[in-house]
Amino acid sequence: MNKKIYLKVYKIFDDIFNLKKIKLKKLTNANDISNWDSINNLKLIIVLEKEFKIRFDPDEIVEIKNVGELIKSIEKKIKF
Amino acid sequence: MLFNSYLFILVFLPLTLFSYYYIAPLLNLKNIPKHQCRLFILLIASLIFYGYWNPKYLFLIGGSILFNFFLGLKLHSLTQSVSKKFLLFLGVSFNLALLAYFKYANFFVENLEIFLNSTIQWEEIVLPIAISFFTFQQIAYLVDVYNNKTKEYKLLNYSVFVSFFPQLIAGPIIYHNEVKSQYANLHLQKKIYNNISLGICIFILGLFKKVVIADTLSDFSDPIFLANAEGNKLVFIEAWIGILSYTFQLYFDFSGYSDMAVGLARLFGIRLPFNFNSPFKAINIIDFWKRWHITLSRFINDYLFTNIAIRFLRFSMKKNLTNLHFLLSIVLPVIITFSLSGLWHGASWNFLLWGTLHGFYIIICYFWGMLCKNIKIEFSKNSIYRLFSILLTFISVTLSFVPFRAKNIESSVSFYRSLIPTKDISLPNELIGYWQLLIEKYLNIIPYFNFNFTEKYILSIENLQNSFVFVTISFFIIWSFKNSISFAQIKNDKLIFPQLENFKVNFLGVYFVYIMFFYCLISLTNIDPSSYLYFQF
């Protein structure tokens, strides 16, 4: 995982979900963060899109199941 | 054929299991791979299972499978995006049109008649069982093929994916790439006895939920809702007994069915996702939908909500509509999604009302969460707040099931009226004498209310007592027991797809399951097996 991207993602997660003691690991998913629901997920996507200047398709959004996959797909998008 | 019938449990299932494990390997003669023989057995069994209701609908499901399979093949081979998009549009429209014809045509004509104020010559269409479920599953498949997430070259594998009898009639709604490698590798299965013992346990647990708990609760809810449908006014206590019994009945019926599906599939070594995760332990309505009918929620989220909401969201950001932002990005997509989900459950204004109600619940819940975040109050740590939120969620859900069950909007409204307490609370007049003194002594301590013994109740006094007992037991089971997923001792990330490699039942567990099973078998005698509530959807 790219450290720079991870830190940015962490900050955005903290803003939206109020992480407190929850650690953000690769396998952290919607069941670990209590208010990570469908609506907040879209909010998260929109903020990430702005931050990294990328764009997700709807089918990519539903494909992402945890933090690791999210960061991977951001990395992929930035590269291209 | 119903899971809770002698024919299924004592004839169909043993024969299918025997053929699957013992006859399929014998068929392995002419270079046919072993797993194909097993798949073939599953397909034949599934077609018998479905055809038992009405053989003529085999053409319907067969046609639907063939159409979608070949469309999927074509879709996969295309690269040009315009024709690919058109093909996907064609495929999804075909599936929706089929569903619309069988499910919504009656409703449409009925309302057209009211609108035009005249009668139309129309023969009512019978809803073929399972159509709502296999339509959704195949739409998901086509979209996934379009997005290059999955593909299938073998008609046999695809047919089993759609028609596999444990999940055919009422879900769980599975995605193709969740099971495709399972079907392709049936011959490599390990730990067969482990799978069988786990499958039996989960199946019997589900059977018990259905036969013993749900069917008993229906003895209390059915007469009350029948009286409501006939236009009788219900008294306060009886209305609450009716709706509480129905809520628990629906839960035990459908979660029992889903458990049976998961258990049956496991007997053949197939892992299906769980559909329920103690929904009544939810702390808010969003949490509830993560736990109730999980596979429908995720289908709706993945294929409907995300698509609608992201478009609305982008639109409102592009046009800089700050004032309308909330309306566009949250309220509208949620309401649209939930109304459609309501309509999927059935073609009537009642289901639309039910869905929309849940949409509003979600929005209220979402704004409450935002409010708490903005004023920096954290309630969730407080255990009294937690208990209160679980109760509030439970009551909101219970109230939403009134239109889910009532005959039409008018009966729903009259049911709601009965649920509101008035100053005079009437108790059944059969209680005069026996309980009278006790009640007058203790109940009348409660301020404001007047208790009297005037009313004739719909339920007999015996059933009334039983309903109290069963509703209390249901509360107890729901809030204090672990659920069937807990067999699987799993971590959060595998929540609906438990791995469970080393399942062992202890002696006590075996006896307990045996007792449950025999109790179910005895309960089945002499009555026609009751249908499942979700079959009508």
Side-chain angles (χ1 to χ4, degrees):
Chain A
M1 262 197 287
N2 186 324
K3 191 103 197 240
K4 232 168 139 185
I5 295 178
Y6 175 81
L7 287 176
K8 275 187 184 173
V9 170
Y10 184 88
K11 206 181 156 286
I12 290 169
F13 263 81
D14 196 32
D15 272 356
I16 298 177
F17 301 119
N18 235 343
L19 288 178
K20 292 213 168 119
K21 277 177 192 158
I22 305 168
K23 281 181 187 157
L24 221 50
K25 293 178 194 156
K26 269 188 185 174
L27 289 178
T28 306
N29 63 25
N31 292 316
D32 305 317
I33 299 175
S34 65
N35 44 353
W36 189 356
D37 50 56
S38 311
I39 303 173
N40 277 325
N41 187 44
L42 292 179
K43 202 168 151 189
L44 173 74
I45 293 289
I46 293 287
V47 178
L48 287 170
E49 285 184 345
K50 264 191 184 165
E51 175 72 36
F52 293 103
K53 300 196 172 55
I54 49 176
R55 198 184 158 100
F56 291 94
D57 287 337
D59 68 290
E60 291 173 316
I61 299 172
V62 297
E63 191 72 340
I64 295 165
K65 296 278 180 266
N66 57 40
V67 174
E69 286 173 23
L70 180 68
I71 290 179
K72 224 194 231 162
S73 93
I74 294 172
E75 281 172 357
K76 231 165 134 190
K77 281 177 184 295
I78 292 175
K79 263 183 204 162
F80 288 110
Chain B
M1 216 179 304
L2 293 161
F3 290 168
N4 55 334
S5 63
Y6 284 133
L7 183 65
F8 180 84
I9 298 175
L10 301 178
V11 182
F12 178 84
L13 188 60
L15 277 180
T16 311
L17 267 176
F18 181 76
S19 336
Y20 182 78
Y21 283 112
Y22 293 102
I23 299 186
L26 300 178
L27 289 174
N28 193 15
L29 296 170
K30 289 174 194 162
N31 302 329
I32 309 165
K34 205 169 166 185
H35 79 275
Q36 296 240 327
C37 302
R38 286 188 162 180
L39 277 177
F40 187 68
I41 300 277
L42 287 185
L43 179 64
I44 297 294
S46 301
L47 292 180
I48 294 172
F49 180 78
Y50 189 72
Y52 186 78
W53 265 287
N54 192 340
K56 81 175 183 211
Y57 289 131
L58 281 174
F59 292 104
L60 176 74
I61 191 172
S64 171
I65 288 174
L66 287 174
F67 176 85
N68 284 297
F69 174 72
F70 287 110
L71 198 98
L73 275 186
K74 185 84 191 133
L75 205 56
H76 183 65
S77 67
L78 284 177
T79 44
Q80 206 199 342
S81 77
V82 180
S83 51
K84 204 174 171 184
K85 211 168 218 168
F86 174 73
L87 212 60
L88 176 70
F89 176 76
L90 192 79
V92 173
S93 314
F94 169 80
N95 282 301
L96 288 180
L98 206 64
L99 188 63
Y101 173 73
F102 283 107
K103 198 163 176 171
Y104 301 103
N106 291 337
F107 180 59
F108 181 74
V109 170
E110 211 173 275
N111 281 288
L112 198 68
E113 279 177 349
I114 294 170
F115 182 72
L116 296 175
N117 213 357
S118 65
T119 46
I120 298 166
Q121 279 287 322
W122 176 259
E123 205 172 310
E124 205 150 294
I125 297 162
V126 181
L127 179 75
I129 210 155
I131 187 166
S132 313
F133 289 89
F134 70 67
T135 306
F136 267 24
Q137 206 156 299
Q138 297 191 98
I139 288 176
Y141 169 73
L142 290 181
V143 177
D144 284 352
V145 171
Y146 176 82
N147 288 322
N148 293 324
K149 282 183 194 164
T150 195
K151 60 183 181 233
E152 183 66 78
Y153 297 117
K154 295 201 174 89
L155 181 59
L156 181 60
N157 293 33
Y158 184 77
S159 314
V160 175
F161 155 68
V162 179
S163 69
F164 187 36
F165 70 86
Q167 46 101 142
L168 171 65
I169 307 298
I173 301 165
I174 49 178
Y175 295 165
H176 181 249
N177 56 11
E178 287 172 342
V179 288
K180 93 179 145 186
S181 64
Q182 296 192 50
Y183 287 136
N185 297 311
L186 282 183
H187 55 300
L188 298 173
Q189 275 174 18
K190 283 176 194 151
K191 302 200 173 174
I192 290 171
Y193 292 108
N194 191 30
N195 278 336
I196 290 181
S197 67
L198 178 63
I200 289 176
C201 282
I202 299 180
F203 176 77
I204 290 174
L205 199 71
L207 189 69
F208 189 83
K209 277 183 180 173
K210 163 67 182 163
V211 174
V212 178
I213 307 179
D215 284 354
T216 313
L217 284 165
S218 78
D219 292 345
F220 316 130
S221 65
D222 283 350
I224 294 176
F225 274 95
L226 184 71
N228 168 250
E230 285 167 351
N232 298 331
K233 192 162 167 14
L234 302 171
V235 293
F236 173 71
I237 294 177
E238 205 157 40
W240 275 100
I241 289 175
I243 191 59
L244 283 173
S245 311
Y246 180 68
T247 303
F248 289 136
Q249 184 203 346
L250 184 67
Y251 169 68
F252 283 112
D253 188 281
F254 192 30
S255 84
Y257 172 84
S258 300
D259 283 349
M260 282 187 254
V262 171
L264 286 171
R266 200 60 178 241
L267 290 177
F268 301 95
I270 304 289
R271 290 198 181 107
L272 294 184
F274 273 98
N275 232 354
F276 286 88
N277 180 22
S278 302
F280 294 127
K281 287 180 186 163
I283 49 165
N284 60 45
I285 199 81
I286 294 177
D287 192 24
F288 173 80
W289 279 102
K290 286 182 181 175
R291 294 156 168 270
W292 173 277
H293 206 173
I294 298 170
T295 56
L296 178 72
S297 305
R298 83 179 170 156
F299 176 89
I300 285 184
N301 177 56
D302 293 357
Y303 295 91
L304 190 66
F305 177 73
T306 309
N307 278 289
I308 299 176
I310 198 89
R311 289 198 166 89
F312 274 118
L313 206 63
R314 291 221 165 99
F315 177 77
S316 95
M317 279 174 33
K318 205 170 135 195
K319 302 259 154 145
N320 230 347
L321 303 167
T322 357
N323 295 332
L324 293 174
H325 186 70
F326 275 134
L327 183 72
L328 277 177
S329 65
I330 295 158
V331 178
L332 269 183
V334 170
I335 297 290
I336 293 173
T337 307
F338 271 89
S339 316
L340 288 176
S341 149
L343 270 186
W344 174 84
H345 282 81
S348 80
W349 295 107
N350 274 36
F351 287 110
L352 192 68
L353 176 67
W354 173 77
T356 319
L357 197 60
H358 271 276
F360 279 109
Y361 284 169
I362 297 262
I363 289 163
I364 294 168
C365 171
Y366 184 76
F367 281 114
W368 174 251
M370 298 241 298
L371 189 72
C372 289
K373 206 183 141 197
N374 284 343
I375 54 174
K376 300 215 160 48
I377 298 180
E378 188 134 0
F379 286 120
S380 49
K381 293 275 151 56
N382 188 326
S383 59
I384 294 171
Y385 176 79
R386 243 185 120 74
L387 192 70
F388 176 74
S389 17
I390 290 176
L391 268 177
L392 183 68
T393 310
F394 174 75
I395 290 171
S396 313
V397 171
T398 304
L399 289 178
S400 79
F401 284 136
V402 170
F404 202 84
R405 176 67 173 83
K407 194 183 160 206
N408 50 38
I409 297 282
E410 282 147 41
S411 10
S412 308
V413 172
S414 106
F415 204 104
Y416 277 127
R417 283 221 181 97
S418 312
L419 290 173
I420 304 166
T422 51
K423 195 167 185 301
D424 293 299
I425 290 184
S426 32
L427 300 165
N429 54 11
E430 287 139 306
L431 283 178
I432 295 176
Y434 190 57
W435 291 97
Q436 195 179 9
L437 275 177
L438 209 65
I439 289 170
E440 277 173 352
K441 196 172 169 193
Y442 289 102
L443 280 186
N444 282 334
I445 300 171
I446 303 170
Y448 183 72
F449 295 112
N450 274 329
F451 291 91
N452 51 57
F453 299 90
T454 47
E455 212 64 42
K456 179 100 179 87
Y457 272 37
I458 296 150
L459 297 180
S460 68
I461 208 76
E462 207 172 69
N463 261 349
L464 216 53
Q465 280 171 2
N466 287 342
S467 72
F468 271 114
V469 173
F470 262 82
V471 168
T472 317
I473 291 175
S474 308
F475 270 120
F476 180 71
I477 294 174
I478 278 171
W479 278 325
S480 59
F481 277 24
K482 285 183 174 178
N483 59 31
S484 36
I485 300 185
S486 68
F487 271 121
Q489 306 148 330
I490 28 142
K491 287 185 189 143
N492 267 343
D493 58 315
K494 300 252 166 61
L495 197 58
I496 57 171
F497 257 104
Q499 294 300 306
L500 203 93
E501 292 311 330
N502 297 306
F503 173 77
K504 276 196 187 107
V505 261
N506 53 23
F507 264 121
L508 206 67
V510 170
Y511 283 121
F512 192 60
V513 168
Y514 267 135
I515 292 168
M516 278 169 108
F517 183 56
F518 281 112
Y519 193 76
C520 291
L521 282 188
I522 295 164
S523 309
L524 283 176
T525 35
N526 298 331
I527 46 163
D528 286 330
S530 61
S531 184
Y532 294 82
L533 296 176
Y534 259 70
F535 280 17
Q536 56 182 306
F537 302 145

